[in-house]
Each structure stands twice: as C-alpha cells, then as structure tokens.
Amino acid sequence: MLSMSSLMGTAALMVQSGDAKAAVEWAEHFQKNYRLMTAEEKAEARARLERRYSAEYGKQVSVDTTEAQPGVLMGYALNIRKCIGCRRCVKACVEENNQSRGNKPGERIEWIQVLRMERGEFSKDKMNHGYPEGLGIQVGGNAYTPAGAVLEGQYHYEPEAVPEKDATYMPIACMHCEKPPCVKVCPVRTTYRDPDGVVVIDYNWCIGCRMCMGACPYWARRINVANPVLPKEAMNPVTHYLGNRPRMRGVVEKCHWCLQRSRHSRYPACVEVCPVGARKFGNLLDPESEVSLILARKNVFRLKAELNTFPKFFYFYD
Amino acid sequence: MNKFAFHTMVLAFCCGVAAPVFAQDAQKKEEICFESRKGASEITKREIKPGLPNVKCSPKTGAALWYGDPFDGTVPMGKMPLLEKIPEGHAVIKPRSEKLAILPMCGTACHNGVGPAFNPPTLPKGKKPTPIPTMAGLLPGIENLQHGRGGIWCLDCHHTTKRDKLVDHFGDPVSFDQPQLLCGKCHGDKLRDWRDGIHGKRIGEFTSTGKKRWFVCTECHNPHDVQDGARNRGFIQLQPESPPQLPRGLKDAKHEKLHPIPH
Ligand code: SF4
Ligand code: SF4
C-alpha cells in the first residue's frame, strides 16, 4: 500500500522539479476521503486549496474546515403561505455558493427551484360539485378541480409581478434528510450526513456517477456537466471545504445550508434575502429557536413524508 | 428673439440636459439596492474587504440579493417588552425615521400645536380621513386609506399632538423606529410571532440569543396600503428574478403549461 509519506515525498520531488501546479494536482489526486483525513491532513488540504483559489481568483480566499458544533442540530422551516415566488432566494444562493453562471446549456446552476402551482379551488359555488354528486366537498378539494396537491407546476414562470392571483409558490432544495437516499447509494461515500444534520459532499472524492441524483426524491442535486463558469469579481471568497468552495467539472453539488455561514451561527443566504420572511432557520435542539417554536406552534408538513426520509426542512403555514 | 439669446438658451438647455447625465454617472458608481420592498429601506454597496462587498444588488430588479454585512447602518432596537432575554445590543434595527424625509418638519412646521386654535380641540366625528390638501399632496391617495377596512383613521396610529410620533395603547408617543409597539395594538398575534422570530424577517446570527437585525413592520408593509388590491397575502407585488436556464434543446417553457389539471 502506498503510504502517505511516500506520496508526500513524490510531491516534494515534483516541487523541487519546479512544477508547483503538478505537485498540487498530485497531492489532490491522492487525497483521502475527507472524513478519514487527520487534522493535519485537513490543514494541509486547506492550505493547498487556499493558495490555489487565491491565485486563481485574484483575491484572498479562505477555506474553512470547521466541524459540526456539539449541541447543534440544524433545521429549516418555510412558510408556504408567505412565499411570493420572487426567486430572490435562488439568486442569493448563487451569489453565496459560487455556482456556475455561464450562458451555454448546462453552465447555469441553481440549487433552489421555485415551483409555481395553481391554487386548488374551494369556491363556494362549487362546494357541492364533488364526486359523487351531491355529497359535498371531497378530501383534497373538489373532485373536478383538485387542490394543488400534486407537484405539477411551472418552474419557468415569468410574470411582470409576483405574487400572481391564484398561484402558490413552493421553493424546493435539499431537504437534509435524516435518512438520505443519496448517501445510501453513493458508491464512494463522498456524500454523508454530518452530526449537525447537514448532508455534505466532499467534491474531491465525487466521481460524477450521478447515482445520488437519481436517488434524491426532491430533485436537489446538480452536476457540473460543463466547466463551471465563475467570474473572478463575483466569486465569494469566504468558503468552506464541504460548502461553497469552487467546484470542478464532473462533480455533483447541492444545498449545504451555507455551511461556511451556519457553522459560525450566521443565517443561510436565502433566509437573509427573502423579502417576506418566509424562510426560517435555527437549532432544533434549542427550544427557544425560531424553528423549534414553529414546530411547536404551527401547522407543519414535510415534503413526501411517506418516503421516510425524515427531512430537516419543514413547510408550515399560519 | 435675437440670435444671441437663442444661443444662450440652447446652451442653457444643453447644460440642463447634460447636468443630470453627469449626476447619473456619479450615481451609477454608487450602487444602491432596496431591501424588502421598494421605497422602504435601502442599502449602499461598499467593500468590507478587498473583493468582498457588504451587499450585492440584483442587476434585474434592483433588490438586495446577498448580505455580506447584515448590520450595515443599524442602531440598537430600544426597549421592547418580553425581549429582555436578548443581551444588550444584540437586537438592532435600521432606523425608519431617517427614511421619512419630512418627519422632522411634521411636528414643527404644521402640527406645532399653534395652528388653528382648537379650544377645546374638536376632532372629526367620522372615521373617514378628511381631505386636507397639504396632506393629500404629500401622501397621494391617502384619502383612500387601504388599512382597517374603513374602521380606522389617521389618529388611531399617529399621535394627536406630537405629530412626529406614533401612538401606543395608552396614548403615549411611540417612535417611528418602533412601529411594532403600535401595530401590536390590533395585530397582537402577529406581534407575538414577530417577537419569536416566526413572523417577519431577521438577519445576522441564527442562535436564539445571537446578534440579529430585526426588520420592523413598516419595512415590509406599507401601513397606508396593506389591504388586498391587485395583490394578495398583504405584501405588495414586485418583479421576480429571472427563471432558471431552459433544459438543453428547449426554446421556451410552454410544456410546463400542459399539466393535466383541468381549470
Ligand atoms: S441554505 Fe444556503 S446553500 Fe442552501 S439553498 Fe439556502 S442559500 Fe442555498
Ligand atoms: S425569496 Fe422568499 S418569497 Fe421569494 S421565492 Fe424565495 S422563499 Fe419565496
């Protein structure tokens, strides 16, 4: 078996040969799975990445490696009645998390999708139009015009102004499941659930097989089919190893609840820009946190709860 | 008109046109975006560190899209009943009064307590705001107040004698920076949810005792126009950000409208 020291030796040799870039690539190629790395190896990887990104983007880039904090289990709640479908959360996520933003097909990546659905009808004059005729309104709405219970709708809506009449908006991103199907299927175990509830990806170990994309019931994962397009001036230099550091072609990415922020107690980017305050984030282990209070007090549901994925993302309404 | 005067006029005209263009150039360098709703609160872009701005604005809608510094331009919230558990200085707001340009004049220029001698003060009997030309000029559409469905009028919210203040339950003046103390008079359930972080918006640190900027009621709702109009859900309509990229090979998203629900 190749020992780390022999690898380091080879890397050092290559540095001496003056090819620093090759040395970095060599070291990266033989890097262990992030979860199995020792603290020193993590520090090394971090320093290497910081150097590389700083040179590439022409500014001081930091790559954080903060671990999950004890006593924290992150949770998210979204008020489905308040969302007006403005998509500011989508764009905030892109600004924060260094997604690819080119114009060619496959070059533009957004992690949040906002689904526009028709409102179901519970109008007075149709109250008796259920099936069978005359027996009144049926479960799930009128039998002829069901309430927006199916996840059918539009992602590409573009009206002058939102919210539109008779429309309901449902933002969807990674649900940070307690039993994540994506983690089960990953053949190289590069995606896993950290103790604070966040499902993360070590991009260096991702082989781009897209098993997780097929397994995710919430369409949360995106693959970099093309070389990511990330303009220097738009790049966010505050990054986390498991979070928003720039990705390479051929790896899968998704929402990670803005680890680079949330591991330092800061709200995720999408929470901060939502103009109606529909997005709520907090520590589920703290009974005083806003998410705990929502769970205690409001009507809450999880998307596709019947799949037993146990999401940590809750939808609620007043 | 002689030729000279004409030329002067042309020159003046050109300068008149040119000046705003220059002004616009100067403004362009200073990027300002609105936060929750247009016209309520704004934030000016600047750099916190090289390559790291305090805010990013949407090139499409002009809305704030990302906060580098959530506490830009904030001051301590002030006393708020039942929020004592939050450590000193950990609840901050952006002062509303700075945005209300005529506020400093309200209590001095017109409503200075001298005015027409009301002795004893006589107030209108009905709840319908009386058309006052000056007020209508300052606040277009105010005679058609869209709040309270005809049940309230100006002095239910504005202080009778101190016109640069709002008024609370007990007739005491309330600062424009703390509208929650007034709004909670009627919307008690919302005040409770707001205090607990369930209603409304806070940015900064998510821990329950962390430092947060609280958005106050009037930053999101226009108190003179909150009822259903050409919108729903109590929030003014606004322009959405652009839709996601179309799947490869598609020219438009017509296929999305072909869903099987008969409407
Ligand atoms: S938590 Fe962060 S990464 Fe996740 S959707 Fe929101 S902005 Fe994007
Ligand atoms: S920013 Fe808020 S209101 Fe706008 S689409 Fe996202 S969740 Fe909905």
Side-chain angles (χ1 to χ4, degrees), chain B residues 91-211:
Chain B
V92 296
I93 53 145
K94 216 164 196 183
R96 294 289 296 132
S97 36
E98 280 172 18
K99 274 293 295 175
L100 307 168
I102 55 165
L103 189 66
M105 276 137 18
C106 296
T108 47
C110 304
H111 308 281
N112 55 3
V114 194
F118 294 132
N119 207 5
T122 49
L123 292 171
K125 296 274 177 326
K127 284 286 188 188
K128 196 159 172 50
T130 325
I132 305 165
T134 346
M135 283 322 295
L138 290 168
L139 257 174
I142 194 59
E143 65 281 4
N144 186 23
L145 177 71
Q146 292 298 310
H147 191 163
R149 301 186 201 281
I152 64 166
W153 77 302
C154 319
L155 296 192
D156 285 321
C157 301
H158 294 272
H159 197 277
T160 324
T161 50
K162 301 193 180 73
R163 214 50 74 80
D164 52 356
K165 295 276 190 241
L166 301 168
V167 63
D168 76 359
H169 255 327
F170 311 103
D172 292 331
V174 169
S175 157
F176 272 81
D177 297 341
Q178 285 186 299
Q180 63 272 21
L181 293 175
L182 153 69
C183 304
K185 290 206 293 194
C186 302
H187 308 280
D189 56 331
K190 292 288 177 292
L191 177 68
R192 183 179 82 141
D193 276 358
W194 180 81
R195 230 169 14 210
D196 291 338
I198 300 176
H199 181 100
K201 175 172 173 173
R202 305 182 301 183
I203 66 178
E205 294 169 2
F206 69 74
T207 47
S208 48
T209 49
K211 180 173 178 184

Side-chain angles (χ1 to χ4, degrees), chain A residues 78-89 162-163 169 171 270-280 316 318, chain B residues 35-37 64 190 194 197-202 215 217 219-221 232-238:
Chain A
L78 192 149
N79 192 335
I80 194 94
R81 290 282 296 151
K82 293 263 161 63
C83 173
I84 57 169
C86 66
R87 293 202 191 95
R88 271 192 221 173
C89 49
V162 286
Y169 304 91
C270 50
V271 174
E272 291 200 339
V273 290
C274 179
V276 297
R279 292 175 165 270
K280 301 287 161 197
F316 73 101
D318 298 289
Chain B
E35 299 189 285
S36 187
R37 68 177 167 95
K190 292 288 177 292
W194 180 81
I198 300 176
H199 181 100
K201 175 172 173 173
R202 305 182 301 183
F215 281 66
C217 319
E219 278 180 86
C220 303
H221 306 285
N232 48 25
R233 282 173 271 186
F235 192 83
I236 204 101
Q237 281 187 303
L238 44 81

Side-chain angles (χ1 to χ4, degrees), chain A residues 53-54 57 59-64 91-99 101 230-240 243-247 256 258-261 266 268-269, chain B residues 48-53 56 66-69:
Chain A
Y53 294 144
S54 299
Y57 294 98
K59 52 179 144 188
Q60 193 56 47
V61 178
S62 62
V63 181
D64 187 15
K91 307 294 165 187
C93 182
V94 172
E95 295 298 344
E96 172 71 21
N97 291 309
N98 292 327
Q99 281 98 322
R101 39 203 107 166
L230 179 57
K232 277 185 187 165
E233 64 291 347
M235 191 255 177
N236 177 10
V238 183
T239 75
H240 192 286
N244 62 339
R245 69 185 167 105
R247 276 81 60 186
H256 45 78
C258 293
L259 266 197
Q260 64 284 355
R261 289 169 165 242
R266 176 98 183 264
Chain B
I48 331 177
K49 273 198 314 212
L52 191 69
K56 287 186 189 172
W66 179 87
Y67 287 96
D69 174 14

Side-chain angles (χ1 to χ4, degrees), chain A residues 18-317:
Chain A
D19 196 347
K21 192 164 169 279
V24 166
E25 278 170 11
W26 179 260
E28 251 174 48
H29 196 73
F30 283 93
Q31 186 178 307
K32 273 198 261 178
N33 187 319
Y34 187 71
R35 250 189 312 178
L36 305 178
M37 278 157 75
T38 61
E40 294 86 68
E41 284 167 338
K42 281 183 185 171
E44 246 170 53
R46 170 198 186 147
R48 198 165 52 225
L49 286 172
E50 284 183 347
R51 261 202 317 279
R52 179 148 75 82
Y53 294 144
S54 299
E56 199 172 327
Y57 294 98
K59 52 179 144 188
Q60 193 56 47
V61 178
S62 62
V63 181
D64 187 15
T65 50
T66 307
E67 312 272 328
Q69 304 297 304
V72 179
L73 181 64
M74 296 181 196
Y76 206 119
L78 192 149
N79 192 335
I80 194 94
R81 290 282 296 151
K82 293 263 161 63
C83 173
I84 57 169
C86 66
R87 293 202 191 95
R88 271 192 221 173
C89 49
V90 179
K91 307 294 165 187
C93 182
V94 172
E95 295 298 344
E96 172 71 21
N97 291 309
N98 292 327
Q99 281 98 322
S100 168
R101 39 203 107 166
N103 288 320
K104 295 207 215 77
E107 275 185 354
R108 211 162 103 205
I109 291 184
E110 285 169 359
W111 293 347
I112 307 176
Q113 287 177 295
V114 186
L115 179 59
R116 176 195 185 277
M117 291 184 284
E118 305 281 332
R119 283 223 181 144
E121 267 187 83
F122 286 96
S123 60
K124 245 194 194 149
D125 51 322
K126 288 193 180 168
M127 272 302 193
N128 267 323
H129 288 197
Y131 178 80
E133 212 59 65
L135 285 186
I137 197 148
Q138 304 294 303
V139 176
N142 186 295
Y144 298 132
T145 50
V150 282
L151 287 175
E152 277 296 341
Q154 299 160 25
Y155 296 106
H156 298 269
Y157 64 89
E158 206 181 5
E160 295 269 288
V162 286
E164 299 152 279
K165 226 170 160 12
D166 299 327
T168 293
Y169 304 91
M170 181 166 199
I172 304 170
C174 175
M175 300 280 156
H176 296 276
C177 310
E178 204 163 299
K179 302 224 180 307
C182 54
V183 169
K184 269 190 208 162
V185 299
C186 179
V188 289
R189 299 202 180 176
T190 192
T191 183
Y192 57 96
R193 191 174 164 273
D194 252 357
D196 55 0
V198 189
V199 177
V200 294
I201 306 171
D202 173 6
Y203 308 111
N204 275 40
W205 264 62
C206 177
I207 55 171
C209 70
R210 311 191 204 182
M211 295 284 280
C212 54
M213 292 176 74
C216 174
Y218 306 105
W219 319 290
R221 292 181 165 248
R222 309 278 180 275
I223 184 154
N224 287 285
V225 275
N227 270 323
V229 180
L230 179 57
K232 277 185 187 165
E233 64 291 347
M235 191 255 177
N236 177 10
V238 183
T239 75
H240 192 286
Y241 183 93
L242 296 168
N244 62 339
R245 69 185 167 105
R247 276 81 60 186
M248 38 290 200
R249 181 177 170 181
V251 304
V252 168
E253 57 185 57
K254 65 161 189 72
C255 161
H256 45 78
W257 278 348
C258 293
L259 266 197
Q260 64 284 355
R261 289 169 165 242
S262 53
R263 288 259 161 101
H264 298 281
S265 300
R266 176 98 183 264
Y267 279 115
C270 50
V271 174
E272 291 200 339
V273 290
C274 179
V276 297
R279 292 175 165 270
K280 301 287 161 197
F281 185 84
N283 182 0
L284 289 168
L285 301 182
D286 172 6
E288 298 280 296
S289 77
E290 47 202 68
V291 178
S292 300
L293 290 171
I294 287 167
L295 292 182
R297 213 183 272 170
K298 300 286 176 183
N299 302 301
V300 177
F301 70 92
R302 309 203 245 198
L303 189 57
K304 302 192 189 180
E306 69 280 10
L307 297 179
N308 285 348
T309 48
F310 301 103
K312 288 280 164 292
F313 190 106
F314 304 89
Y315 293 93
F316 73 101
Y317 51 98

